[in-house]
Amino acid sequence: MGVIIGFVGLVFLMISGNRDIRFSNMNFSFYIILATIFYGINVNMVNRHLKHIPSLSIAAVAFSALILPSSIILFLTGYFQQSLSPGFTYSTGASSVLGIFGTAIASILFYMLMKRAGYLFASMVTYGIPFIALFWGFLAHETIMPLQILCLVMILAGVWLANK
């Protein structure tokens, strides 16, 4: 029942905003599903096999493993051939700040929380992500309608009910 309620909330959320929705790029939604699956695998693997390893070490190994594939992608997309224009430098700096603070440090803090409070409690942090997204939407002066808030509540209620 919780999954159905959450899915109905998701469908309403999709149709409540942009009236010009094109479903031609729905294959990108696969990446969201894949990320969710990997998130669940990550939480369970760290809880089961890496409890005794410091959080900083887990994050260091995880992000070090990304150096080679990321470098290959940057090379293949022509990143290293770009000129050092102000826009290019600003974009690279913004991406670096997002990667360092939004991902690396957040991962370390998440692993620390998981070790101290348990993996089930730590995974509940994801319930706060929609509210952070709303906060950034308000800061960016995006139009957020009451129906979208209601859909968010439906989705979270569905997830809560499914977990209960």
Side-chain angles (χ1 to χ4, degrees), residues 29-105:
S29 62
F30 171 74
Y31 293 128
I32 297 169
I33 294 168
L34 190 63
T36 304
I37 291 168
F38 284 146
Y39 178 78
I41 291 170
N42 176 43
V43 167
N44 286 301
M45 282 183 61
V46 169
N47 179 56
R48 181 170 292 157
H49 302 291
L50 304 176
K51 276 185 176 179
H52 61 283
I53 298 175
S55 302
L56 183 59
S57 298
I58 296 171
V61 169
F63 288 102
S64 295
L66 293 173
I67 292 173
L68 182 61
S70 299
S71 298
I72 292 170
I73 290 170
L74 290 174
F75 177 75
L76 292 176
T77 57
Y79 175 83
F80 297 114
Q81 285 76 34
Q82 299 291 321
S83 65
L84 293 176
S85 67
F88 176 79
T89 326
Y90 179 79
S91 298
T92 300
S95 296
S96 299
V97 168
L98 182 62
I100 292 168
F101 292 103
T103 305
I105 293 175

Coordinates of all heavy atoms in Angstrom, one line a residue, residues 29-105:
S29 N 15.5 8.2 -16.3 CA 15.0 7.8 -15.0 C 15.7 6.5 -14.5 O 15.7 6.2 -13.3 CB 13.5 7.7 -15.0 OG 13.1 6.7 -15.9
F30 N 16.2 5.7 -15.4 CA 16.9 4.5 -15.1 C 18.1 4.8 -14.2 O 18.4 4.0 -13.3 CB 17.3 3.8 -16.3 CG 18.2 2.6 -16.1 CD1 17.8 1.4 -15.5 CD2 19.6 2.7 -16.3 CE1 18.6 0.4 -15.2 CE2 20.5 1.6 -16.1 CZ 20.0 0.5 -15.5
Y31 N 18.7 5.9 -14.4 CA 19.9 6.3 -13.6 C 19.5 6.6 -12.2 O 20.2 6.3 -11.2 CB 20.6 7.5 -14.2 CG 21.3 7.2 -15.5 CD1 21.0 8.0 -16.6 CD2 22.1 6.1 -15.7 CE1 21.6 7.8 -17.9 CE2 22.7 5.9 -16.9 CZ 22.4 6.7 -18.0 OH 23.0 6.4 -19.2
I32 N 18.3 7.1 -12.0 CA 17.8 7.4 -10.6 C 17.6 6.1 -9.9 O 17.9 5.9 -8.7 CB 16.6 8.3 -10.6 CG1 16.9 9.6 -11.2 CG2 15.9 8.4 -9.3 CD1 15.7 10.5 -11.5
I33 N 16.9 5.1 -10.6 CA 16.7 3.8 -10.0 C 18.0 3.1 -9.7 O 18.1 2.5 -8.7 CB 15.8 3.0 -11.0 CG1 14.4 3.6 -11.1 CG2 15.7 1.6 -10.5 CD1 13.6 3.1 -12.2
L34 N 18.9 3.2 -10.6 CA 20.2 2.6 -10.4 C 21.0 3.2 -9.2 O 21.5 2.5 -8.4 CB 21.1 2.7 -11.7 CG 22.4 1.9 -11.8 CD1 22.1 0.4 -11.7 CD2 23.1 2.3 -13.0
A35 N 20.9 4.5 -9.1 CA 21.5 5.2 -8.0 C 20.9 4.7 -6.7 O 21.6 4.5 -5.7 CB 21.4 6.7 -8.1
T36 N 19.6 4.6 -6.7 CA 18.9 4.1 -5.4 C 19.3 2.7 -5.1 O 19.5 2.4 -3.9 CB 17.4 4.2 -5.7 OG1 17.0 5.5 -6.1 CG2 16.6 3.8 -4.4
I37 N 19.4 1.8 -6.1 CA 19.9 0.5 -5.8 C 21.3 0.5 -5.2 O 21.5 -0.2 -4.2 CB 19.8 -0.4 -7.1 CG1 18.3 -0.6 -7.5 CG2 20.5 -1.7 -6.9 CD1 18.1 -1.2 -8.9
F38 N 22.2 1.2 -5.8 CA 23.5 1.3 -5.3 C 23.6 1.9 -3.9 O 24.5 1.5 -3.1 CB 24.4 2.1 -6.3 CG 24.8 1.3 -7.5 CD1 25.0 1.9 -8.7 CD2 25.0 -0.1 -7.5 CE1 25.3 1.2 -9.9 CE2 25.3 -0.8 -8.6 CZ 25.5 -0.1 -9.8
Y39 N 22.7 2.9 -3.7 CA 22.7 3.5 -2.3 C 22.3 2.4 -1.3 O 23.0 2.3 -0.2 CB 21.7 4.6 -2.3 CG 21.5 5.3 -0.9 CD1 22.5 6.2 -0.5 CD2 20.5 5.0 -0.1 CE1 22.4 6.7 0.8 CE2 20.3 5.5 1.1 CZ 21.3 6.4 1.6 OH 21.2 7.0 2.8
G40 N 21.3 1.6 -1.6 CA 20.9 0.5 -0.7 C 22.0 -0.5 -0.5 O 22.3 -1.0 0.6
I41 N 22.7 -0.9 -1.6 CA 23.8 -1.8 -1.5 C 24.9 -1.2 -0.6 O 25.5 -1.9 0.2 CB 24.3 -2.2 -2.9 CG1 23.3 -3.0 -3.6 CG2 25.7 -2.9 -2.8 CD1 23.6 -3.2 -5.1
N42 N 25.3 0.1 -0.8 CA 26.3 0.7 -0.1 C 26.0 0.7 1.4 O 26.9 0.3 2.2 CB 26.5 2.2 -0.6 CG 27.5 3.0 0.2 OD1 28.5 2.5 0.5 ND2 27.1 4.2 0.5
V43 N 24.8 1.1 1.8 CA 24.5 1.1 3.2 C 24.6 -0.3 3.8 O 25.2 -0.4 4.9 CB 23.1 1.7 3.4 CG1 22.6 1.4 4.8 CG2 23.0 3.1 3.1
N44 N 24.1 -1.3 3.1 CA 24.2 -2.6 3.7 C 25.6 -3.2 3.7 O 26.0 -3.9 4.7 CB 23.3 -3.6 2.9 CG 21.8 -3.3 3.2 OD1 21.4 -3.4 4.4 ND2 21.0 -2.9 2.3
M45 N 26.4 -2.9 2.7 CA 27.8 -3.4 2.6 C 28.6 -2.8 3.7 O 29.4 -3.5 4.4 CB 28.4 -3.2 1.3 CG 27.9 -4.2 0.2 SD 28.7 -4.0 -1.3 CE 30.5 -4.2 -0.9
V46 N 28.5 -1.5 3.9 CA 29.3 -0.8 4.9 C 28.9 -1.3 6.3 O 29.7 -1.6 7.1 CB 29.1 0.7 4.8 CG1 29.7 1.4 6.0 CG2 29.8 1.2 3.5
N47 N 27.6 -1.5 6.5 CA 27.1 -2.0 7.8 C 27.6 -3.4 8.1 O 28.0 -3.7 9.2 CB 25.6 -1.9 7.9 CG 25.1 -2.4 9.2 OD1 25.5 -1.9 10.2 ND2 24.3 -3.5 9.1
R48 N 27.6 -4.2 7.1 CA 28.0 -5.6 7.3 C 29.5 -5.9 7.3 O 30.0 -6.7 8.1 CB 27.3 -6.5 6.2 CG 27.6 -8.0 6.4 CD 26.8 -8.8 5.5 NE 25.4 -8.7 5.9 CZ 24.4 -9.0 5.1 NH1 24.5 -9.4 3.9 NH2 23.1 -8.9 5.6
H49 N 30.2 -5.2 6.4 CA 31.6 -5.6 6.2 C 32.6 -4.6 6.6 O 33.8 -4.9 6.7 CB 31.9 -6.0 4.7 CG 31.0 -7.1 4.2 ND1 31.1 -8.4 4.6 CD2 30.0 -7.1 3.3 CE1 30.2 -9.1 4.0 NE2 29.5 -8.3 3.2
L50 N 32.2 -3.3 6.8 CA 33.2 -2.3 7.0 C 33.0 -1.5 8.3 O 33.5 -0.4 8.4 CB 33.2 -1.3 5.8 CG 33.4 -1.9 4.4 CD1 33.3 -0.8 3.3 CD2 34.8 -2.6 4.3
K51 N 32.4 -2.1 9.3 CA 32.1 -1.4 10.5 C 33.4 -1.0 11.3 O 33.5 0.0 11.9 CB 31.3 -2.3 11.5 CG 29.8 -2.2 11.2 CD 29.1 -3.1 12.3 CE 27.6 -2.9 12.1 NZ 26.9 -3.7 13.1
H52 N 34.4 -1.9 11.1 CA 35.7 -1.6 11.9 C 36.6 -0.7 11.2 O 37.7 -0.3 11.7 CB 36.4 -3.0 12.1 CG 36.7 -3.7 10.8 ND1 35.8 -4.3 10.1 CD2 37.9 -3.8 10.2 CE1 36.4 -4.8 9.0 NE2 37.6 -4.5 9.0
I53 N 36.3 -0.3 10.0 CA 37.2 0.6 9.2 C 36.8 2.1 9.4 O 35.6 2.4 9.4 CB 37.2 0.3 7.7 CG1 37.7 -1.2 7.5 CG2 38.0 1.2 6.9 CD1 37.6 -1.7 6.2
P54 N 37.7 3.0 9.7 CA 37.4 4.4 9.9 C 36.6 5.0 8.7 O 36.9 4.7 7.5 CB 38.7 5.1 10.1 CG 39.7 4.0 10.5 CD 39.2 2.8 9.8
S55 N 35.7 5.9 9.0 CA 34.9 6.5 7.9 C 35.7 7.3 6.9 O 35.4 7.2 5.7 CB 33.9 7.5 8.6 OG 33.1 6.9 9.5
L56 N 36.8 7.9 7.3 CA 37.6 8.6 6.4 C 38.3 7.7 5.4 O 38.4 7.9 4.2 CB 38.7 9.5 7.1 CG 39.6 10.3 6.3 CD1 38.8 11.3 5.4 CD2 40.6 11.0 7.2
S57 N 38.7 6.5 5.9 CA 39.3 5.5 5.0 C 38.4 4.9 4.0 O 38.7 4.7 2.8 CB 39.9 4.4 5.9 OG 40.9 4.8 6.7
I58 N 37.1 4.7 4.4 CA 36.1 4.2 3.5 C 35.9 5.2 2.3 O 35.9 4.8 1.2 CB 34.8 3.9 4.2 CG1 35.0 2.8 5.2 CG2 33.7 3.5 3.2 CD1 33.8 2.6 6.1
A59 N 35.7 6.5 2.7 CA 35.5 7.5 1.7 C 36.7 7.7 0.8 O 36.6 7.9 -0.4 CB 35.1 8.8 2.4
A60 N 37.9 7.6 1.4 CA 39.1 7.8 0.6 C 39.3 6.7 -0.4 O 39.6 7.0 -1.6 CB 40.4 7.8 1.6
V61 N 39.0 5.5 -0.1 CA 39.1 4.4 -1.0 C 38.1 4.5 -2.1 O 38.3 4.4 -3.3 CB 39.0 3.0 -0.3 CG1 38.9 1.9 -1.3 CG2 40.3 2.8 0.5
A62 N 36.8 4.9 -1.7 CA 35.7 5.0 -2.6 C 36.0 6.1 -3.7 O 35.8 5.9 -4.9 CB 34.4 5.3 -1.9
F63 N 36.5 7.2 -3.2 CA 36.7 8.3 -4.1 C 38.0 8.2 -4.9 O 38.1 8.6 -6.0 CB 36.7 9.7 -3.4 CG 35.3 10.0 -3.0 CD1 34.8 9.8 -1.7 CD2 34.4 10.5 -3.9 CE1 33.5 10.1 -1.3 CE2 33.0 10.8 -3.6 CZ 32.6 10.6 -2.3
S64 N 39.0 7.5 -4.3 CA 40.2 7.2 -5.1 C 39.9 6.3 -6.3 O 40.5 6.4 -7.3 CB 41.3 6.6 -4.2 OG 41.7 7.5 -3.2
A65 N 39.0 5.3 -6.1 CA 38.6 4.4 -7.1 C 38.0 5.1 -8.3 O 37.9 4.6 -9.4 CB 37.7 3.3 -6.6
L66 N 37.5 6.3 -8.1 CA 36.8 7.1 -9.2 C 37.8 7.9 -10.0 O 37.4 8.5 -11.0 CB 35.8 8.1 -8.5 CG 34.6 7.4 -7.9 CD1 33.8 8.4 -7.2 CD2 33.8 6.6 -8.9
I67 N 39.1 8.0 -9.6 CA 40.0 8.9 -10.3 C 40.2 8.4 -11.7 O 40.1 9.2 -12.7 CB 41.4 8.9 -9.5 CG1 41.2 9.7 -8.2 CG2 42.5 9.6 -10.4 CD1 42.4 9.7 -7.3
L68 N 40.5 7.1 -11.9 CA 40.8 6.6 -13.3 C 39.6 6.8 -14.2 O 39.7 7.3 -15.3 CB 41.3 5.2 -13.3 CG 41.7 4.6 -14.6 CD1 42.8 5.4 -15.3 CD2 42.1 3.1 -14.5
P69 N 38.4 6.3 -13.8 CA 37.2 6.4 -14.7 C 36.9 7.9 -15.0 O 36.5 8.2 -16.1 CB 36.1 5.7 -14.1 CG 36.6 5.1 -12.8 CD 38.0 5.5 -12.7
S70 N 37.0 8.7 -14.0 CA 36.7 10.1 -14.2 C 37.7 10.8 -15.1 O 37.3 11.6 -16.0 CB 36.7 10.9 -12.8 OG 35.7 10.3 -12.0
S71 N 38.9 10.4 -15.0 CA 40.0 11.0 -15.9 C 39.7 10.6 -17.3 O 39.9 11.4 -18.2 CB 41.3 10.5 -15.4 OG 41.6 11.0 -14.1
I72 N 39.3 9.3 -17.5 CA 39.0 8.8 -18.9 C 37.9 9.6 -19.5 O 37.9 10.1 -20.6 CB 38.8 7.3 -18.9 CG1 40.1 6.6 -18.5 CG2 38.2 6.9 -20.2 CD1 39.9 5.1 -18.2
I73 N 36.8 9.8 -18.7 CA 35.6 10.5 -19.2 C 36.0 12.0 -19.5 O 35.6 12.5 -20.5 CB 34.5 10.5 -18.1 CG1 33.9 9.1 -18.1 CG2 33.4 11.5 -18.5 CD1 33.0 8.8 -17.0
L74 N 36.8 12.6 -18.6 CA 37.2 14.0 -18.9 C 38.1 14.1 -20.2 O 37.9 15.0 -21.0 CB 38.0 14.6 -17.7 CG 37.2 14.9 -16.5 CD1 38.1 15.3 -15.3 CD2 36.1 15.9 -16.7
F75 N 38.9 13.1 -20.4 CA 39.8 13.1 -21.6 C 38.9 12.9 -22.8 O 39.1 13.6 -23.8 CB 40.8 12.0 -21.4 CG 41.7 11.9 -22.7 CD1 42.7 12.8 -22.9 CD2 41.5 10.8 -23.6 CE1 43.5 12.7 -24.1 CE2 42.3 10.7 -24.7 CZ 43.2 11.6 -24.9
L76 N 38.0 11.9 -22.8 CA 37.2 11.6 -23.9 C 36.2 12.7 -24.3 O 35.8 12.9 -25.5 CB 36.4 10.3 -23.7 CG 37.2 9.0 -23.6 CD1 36.4 7.8 -23.3 CD2 38.0 8.8 -24.9
T77 N 35.8 13.5 -23.3 CA 34.9 14.6 -23.6 C 35.6 15.9 -24.0 O 35.0 17.0 -24.2 CB 33.9 14.9 -22.4 OG1 34.7 15.2 -21.2 CG2 33.0 13.7 -22.2
G78 N 36.9 15.9 -24.0 CA 37.7 17.1 -24.4 C 37.9 18.1 -23.3 O 38.2 19.3 -23.6
Y79 N 37.7 17.7 -22.1 CA 37.8 18.7 -20.9 C 39.2 19.3 -20.9 O 39.4 20.5 -20.7 CB 37.5 18.0 -19.6 CG 37.8 18.8 -18.4 CD1 36.8 19.7 -18.0 CD2 38.9 18.7 -17.7 CE1 37.0 20.5 -16.8 CE2 39.2 19.5 -16.6 CZ 38.2 20.4 -16.1 OH 38.4 21.2 -15.0
F80 N 40.3 18.5 -21.1 CA 41.6 19.0 -20.9 C 42.1 19.9 -22.1 O 43.1 20.5 -22.0 CB 42.6 17.8 -20.8 CG 42.3 17.0 -19.5 CD1 41.9 15.7 -19.6 CD2 42.5 17.6 -18.3 CE1 41.6 15.0 -18.5 CE2 42.3 16.8 -17.1 CZ 41.8 15.5 -17.2
Q81 N 41.3 19.9 -23.2 CA 41.6 20.8 -24.3 C 41.0 22.2 -24.2 O 41.2 23.0 -25.0 CB 41.2 20.2 -25.6 CG 42.1 19.0 -26.1 CD 41.9 17.7 -25.3 OE1 40.8 17.4 -24.9 NE2 43.0 17.0 -25.1
Q82 N 40.2 22.4 -23.2 CA 39.4 23.7 -23.0 C 40.4 24.8 -22.6 O 41.4 24.5 -21.9 CB 38.3 23.5 -22.0 CG 37.3 22.5 -22.3 CD 36.4 22.9 -23.4 OE1 36.1 24.1 -23.6 NE2 36.1 22.0 -24.3
S83 N 40.1 26.0 -23.0 CA 40.9 27.1 -22.6 C 40.5 27.5 -21.2 O 39.3 27.3 -20.8 CB 40.7 28.3 -23.6 OG 39.3 28.8 -23.5
L84 N 41.3 28.2 -20.5 CA 41.1 28.6 -19.1 C 40.3 29.9 -19.1 O 40.7 30.9 -18.5 CB 42.4 28.7 -18.3 CG 43.1 27.4 -18.1 CD1 44.4 27.6 -17.4 CD2 42.2 26.4 -17.3
S85 N 39.1 30.0 -19.7 CA 38.3 31.1 -19.7 C 37.7 31.3 -18.3 O 37.6 30.3 -17.6 CB 37.2 31.0 -20.8 OG 36.3 30.0 -20.4
P86 N 37.2 32.5 -18.0 CA 36.6 32.7 -16.7 C 35.4 31.7 -16.4 O 35.2 31.2 -15.3 CB 36.1 34.1 -16.7 CG 37.0 34.8 -17.6 CD 37.3 33.8 -18.7
G87 N 34.6 31.5 -17.4 CA 33.4 30.6 -17.3 C 33.8 29.2 -17.0 O 33.3 28.5 -16.2
F88 N 34.9 28.8 -17.7 CA 35.4 27.4 -17.6 C 36.0 27.2 -16.2 O 35.7 26.2 -15.5 CB 36.5 27.1 -18.6 CG 37.1 25.8 -18.5 CD1 36.5 24.6 -18.9 CD2 38.4 25.7 -17.9 CE1 37.1 23.4 -18.8 CE2 39.0 24.4 -17.8 CZ 38.3 23.3 -18.3
T89 N 36.7 28.2 -15.7 CA 37.4 28.1 -14.4 C 36.3 28.2 -13.3 O 36.4 27.4 -12.3 CB 38.3 29.3 -14.2 OG1 39.0 29.6 -15.4 CG2 39.4 28.9 -13.2
Y90 N 35.3 29.0 -13.5 CA 34.2 29.1 -12.5 C 33.5 27.8 -12.4 O 33.2 27.3 -11.3 CB 33.3 30.3 -12.9 CG 32.1 30.4 -11.9 CD1 32.3 31.1 -10.7 CD2 30.9 29.9 -12.2 CE1 31.2 31.2 -9.8 CE2 29.8 30.0 -11.4 CZ 30.0 30.7 -10.2 OH 28.9 30.8 -9.3
S91 N 33.1 27.2 -13.6 CA 32.4 25.9 -13.6 C 33.2 24.8 -13.0 O 32.7 24.0 -12.2 CB 32.1 25.6 -15.0 OG 31.2 26.5 -15.6
T92 N 34.5 24.8 -13.2 CA 35.4 23.8 -12.7 C 35.4 23.9 -11.1 O 35.4 23.0 -10.4 CB 36.8 23.8 -13.3 OG1 36.7 23.6 -14.7 CG2 37.7 22.8 -12.6
G93 N 35.6 25.2 -10.7 CA 35.6 25.5 -9.3 C 34.3 25.1 -8.6 O 34.3 24.5 -7.5
A94 N 33.2 25.4 -9.2 CA 31.9 25.1 -8.6 C 31.7 23.6 -8.5 O 31.2 23.1 -7.5 CB 30.8 25.7 -9.4
S95 N 32.1 22.9 -9.6 CA 32.0 21.4 -9.6 C 32.9 20.8 -8.5 O 32.5 19.8 -7.8 CB 32.4 20.8 -10.9 OG 31.5 21.3 -11.9
S96 N 34.1 21.4 -8.3 CA 35.0 20.9 -7.3 C 34.4 21.1 -5.9 O 34.5 20.2 -5.0 CB 36.4 21.6 -7.4 OG 36.9 21.4 -8.6
V97 N 33.9 22.3 -5.6 CA 33.2 22.6 -4.3 C 32.1 21.6 -4.1 O 31.9 21.0 -3.0 CB 32.8 24.0 -4.2 CG1 31.9 24.3 -3.0 CG2 34.0 25.0 -4.2
L98 N 31.3 21.4 -5.1 CA 30.1 20.5 -4.9 C 30.7 19.0 -4.7 O 30.1 18.3 -3.8 CB 29.3 20.5 -6.2 CG 28.1 19.6 -6.2 CD1 27.1 20.0 -5.1 CD2 27.4 19.7 -7.6
G99 N 31.7 18.6 -5.4 CA 32.2 17.3 -5.2 C 32.9 17.1 -3.8 O 32.7 16.1 -3.2
I100 N 33.6 18.2 -3.3 CA 34.3 18.1 -2.1 C 33.3 18.1 -0.9 O 33.3 17.3 0.0 CB 35.4 19.1 -1.9 CG1 36.5 18.8 -2.9 CG2 35.9 19.2 -0.5 CD1 37.5 20.0 -3.1
F101 N 32.5 19.2 -0.9 CA 31.6 19.4 0.3 C 30.3 18.6 0.1 O 29.8 18.1 1.1 CB 31.3 20.9 0.4 CG 32.5 21.7 0.9 CD1 33.2 22.5 0.0 CD2 32.9 21.6 2.2 CE1 34.3 23.2 0.4 CE2 34.0 22.3 2.6 CZ 34.7 23.1 1.7
G102 N 29.7 18.6 -1.1 CA 28.4 18.0 -1.3 C 28.5 16.5 -1.3 O 27.5 15.8 -1.2
T103 N 29.7 15.9 -1.6 CA 29.8 14.5 -1.8 C 30.8 13.9 -0.8 O 30.5 13.0 0.0 CB 30.1 14.1 -3.2 OG1 29.2 14.7 -4.1 CG2 30.1 12.6 -3.4
A104 N 32.0 14.3 -0.9 CA 33.1 13.7 -0.1 C 32.9 13.9 1.4 O 32.9 12.9 2.1 CB 34.5 14.2 -0.6
I105 N 32.8 15.1 1.8 CA 32.6 15.3 3.2 C 31.3 14.8 3.7 O 31.2 14.2 4.8 CB 32.8 16.8 3.5 CG1 34.2 17.3 3.3 CG2 32.4 17.2 5.0 CD1 34.5 18.7 3.4

